[in-house]
Amino acid sequence: MSIFKARVKEFEDVLAGPQDAIDLNQLRKLAFNGVPDVQSFRALSWKLLLGYLGPRRSSWTTTLAQKRALYKQFIEELVLPPGHSSNGASVDGGDGDKVDSGGVGLQDHPLSEGPESAWNTFFNDNEFLLQIDKDVRRLCPDISFFQQPTDYPCEIVVHSKGEHGRRLHERVVPAVLSSANVERKGLGMTKINLITKRSVENYAAMEEGQEAHWEVVQRILFIYAKLNPGQGYVQGMNEIVGPIYYVMASDPDLSYRAHAEADCFFCFTALMSEIRDFFIKTLDDAEGGIKFMMARLSNMLKSKDLTIYELLRSQELHPQYYSFRWLTLLLSQEFPLPDVLRIWDSVFADEQRFDFLIKICCSMILIQREAILENDFASNVKLLQNYPPIDINVVIAHAGSLA
């Protein structure tokens, strides 16, 4: 039996064995070394490792049904324009006012500016929806996946029957956004070039009755921002949700793929609950904040290679110039998508979660030791902000060797 077939058999035994309870410790050990890109192994493993599904297989049917129904409710309440139900019907409110099944009366007019006005909220949403729209139209440009139509569009959204606003991209005009900065919740501004390095032509929207994968991702991020107003949407979240959605929407099991949007939303929410401090500036110095994470990486580099550490310090090449993006976005912009999926297998399987992420980042620097020693400041910035192509298994193996 080949090594690959043996690994597949190990995953089958853990994920599809006769026992009702999944051995999460065994799953972590297997996933840490990479999930085989066959069957539904990765999608199911991530759902378990992120806590979306519990270890007891007998609970999955109920959990999935409840979560997917809840997500449909989120779409109806948060995405559809005020005054419209999922079927577009309106009903008599009993006092002469026509209200829809959600209970919004016609007295709540689109021109109403009252703070309690559903329409006022609807229009205010466009401020962060504008940034989401811009970001998701450029998602993972090295592959065509996000520009392609999904086989499972959201029916209550794509069949608008001429009604404007059900499809989120219709609400905004991307050309309006000209700011060079993006606000992080809390204090101050963070330059975009520390967050995102990709810039390509925007993806186009689909015709009535269809929607592209990027439109689905846009809806996931919009709903997340609506449900988390204290945090809202911060640029870079699109790079976190993208790989998760890709995995769910590529599941060979069509019964699961049909619910990729809802399943992705809850997996993304679970992951964001662990890394949300990365995106909140007031928590930068907290134990889970990004400054604390960058300090851990810097300290590890100092202990592993004092020469490199001192050189970068003498060049005033501060960790935030490169590792801010590495850590905040879990390396999703430094490598091609298949490599990102492989990295995330290990990161999600790590019980300490981000200890191994820091080791990978440290290894990325150590592997480029010779080049860094020869380079000046500008060349090292370019090297670390645009990491050269490399076999990701080399990086992961090196990270695994760090104590």
Side-chain angles (χ1 to χ4, degrees), residues 215-251:
E215 296 180 70
V216 181
V217 173
Q218 180 179 48
R219 189 161 52 244
I220 292 171
L221 290 169
F222 177 79
I223 291 173
Y224 178 82
K226 289 283 288 179
L227 293 173
N228 296 273
Q231 181 184 29
Y233 174 75
V234 180
Q235 189 185 32
M237 290 180 182
N238 57 308
E239 304 291 349
I240 298 295
V241 74
I244 299 176
Y245 177 77
Y246 175 83
V247 168
M248 303 300 159
S250 303
D251 194 325

Side-chain angles (χ1 to χ4, degrees), residues 187-201:
L187 300 170
M189 306 290 283
T190 297
K191 295 291 185 181
I192 279 179
N193 62 7
L194 292 182
I195 290 280
T196 180
K197 67 178 182 182
R198 291 173 177 154
S199 180
V200 297
E201 292 184 13

Side-chain angles (χ1 to χ4, degrees), residues 126-318:
N126 287 3
E127 294 179 18
F128 67 84
L129 179 55
L130 191 65
Q131 184 67 58
I132 295 176
D133 188 82
K134 180 182 179 185
D135 292 345
V136 296
R137 287 177 186 262
R138 307 179 301 188
L139 193 58
C140 297
D142 48 333
I143 61 172
S144 63
F145 174 80
F146 287 95
Q147 305 173 53
Q148 302 300 320
T150 172
D151 292 329
Y152 303 97
C154 180
E155 298 295 331
I156 60 176
V157 169
V158 297
H159 296 292
S160 60
K161 300 168 185 169
E163 178 188 351
H164 183 80
R166 287 194 177 206
R167 305 180 73 158
L168 294 174
H169 67 82
E170 294 175 343
R171 301 189 197 174
V172 295
V173 181
V176 173
L177 188 67
S178 59
S179 173
N181 297 304
V182 58
E183 185 173 358
R184 293 174 69 214
K185 288 289 181 180
L187 300 170
M189 306 290 283
T190 297
K191 295 291 185 181
I192 279 179
N193 62 7
L194 292 182
I195 290 280
T196 180
K197 67 178 182 182
R198 291 173 177 154
S199 180
V200 297
E201 292 184 13
N202 286 342
Y203 300 157
M206 294 277 144
E207 298 294 327
E208 173 83 2
Q210 287 187 310
E211 61 181 347
H213 288 295
W214 70 260
E215 296 180 70
V216 181
V217 173
Q218 180 179 48
R219 189 161 52 244
I220 292 171
L221 290 169
F222 177 79
I223 291 173
Y224 178 82
K226 289 283 288 179
L227 293 173
N228 296 273
Q231 181 184 29
Y233 174 75
V234 180
Q235 189 185 32
M237 290 180 182
N238 57 308
E239 304 291 349
I240 298 295
V241 74
I244 299 176
Y245 177 77
Y246 175 83
V247 168
M248 303 300 159
S250 303
D251 194 325
D253 186 334
L254 300 186
S255 66
Y256 276 96
R257 191 189 298 186
H259 299 282
E261 179 177 354
D263 292 348
C264 172
F265 172 81
F266 289 106
C267 286
F268 171 68
T269 299
L271 180 56
M272 284 303 303
S273 71
E274 298 184 43
I275 65 172
R276 67 187 303 273
D277 292 0
F278 294 2
F279 291 89
I280 301 179
K281 190 170 176 61
T282 50
L283 296 177
D284 277 358
D285 295 311
E287 189 169 329
I290 194 63
K291 282 186 181 177
F292 182 81
M293 293 288 285
M294 288 191 293
R296 286 183 61 191
L297 171 58
S298 187
N299 290 334
M300 178 176 286
L301 179 63
K302 183 178 181 180
S303 69
K304 300 300 178 185
D305 195 324
L306 186 59
T307 303
I308 291 293
Y309 172 83
E310 293 290 0
L311 175 70
L312 295 179
R313 193 176 179 189
S314 68
Q315 291 182 348
E316 297 187 0
L317 206 169
H318 304 298

Side-chain angles (χ1 to χ4, degrees), residues 24 43-56 59-71 244 248 256 259-271 273-274 353:
L24 289 181
L44 182 54
S45 294
W46 283 16
K47 287 170 187 171
L48 288 159
L49 294 172
L50 290 171
Y52 174 44
L53 290 179
R56 303 200 73 83
S59 68
W60 293 356
T61 301
T62 301
T63 296
L64 291 171
Q66 290 176 342
K67 293 291 189 181
R68 291 164 179 174
L70 178 60
Y71 186 77
I244 299 176
M248 303 300 159
Y256 276 96
H259 299 282
E261 179 177 354
D263 292 348
C264 172
F265 172 81
F266 289 106
C267 286
F268 171 68
T269 299
L271 180 56
S273 71
E274 298 184 43
R353 190 67 89 212

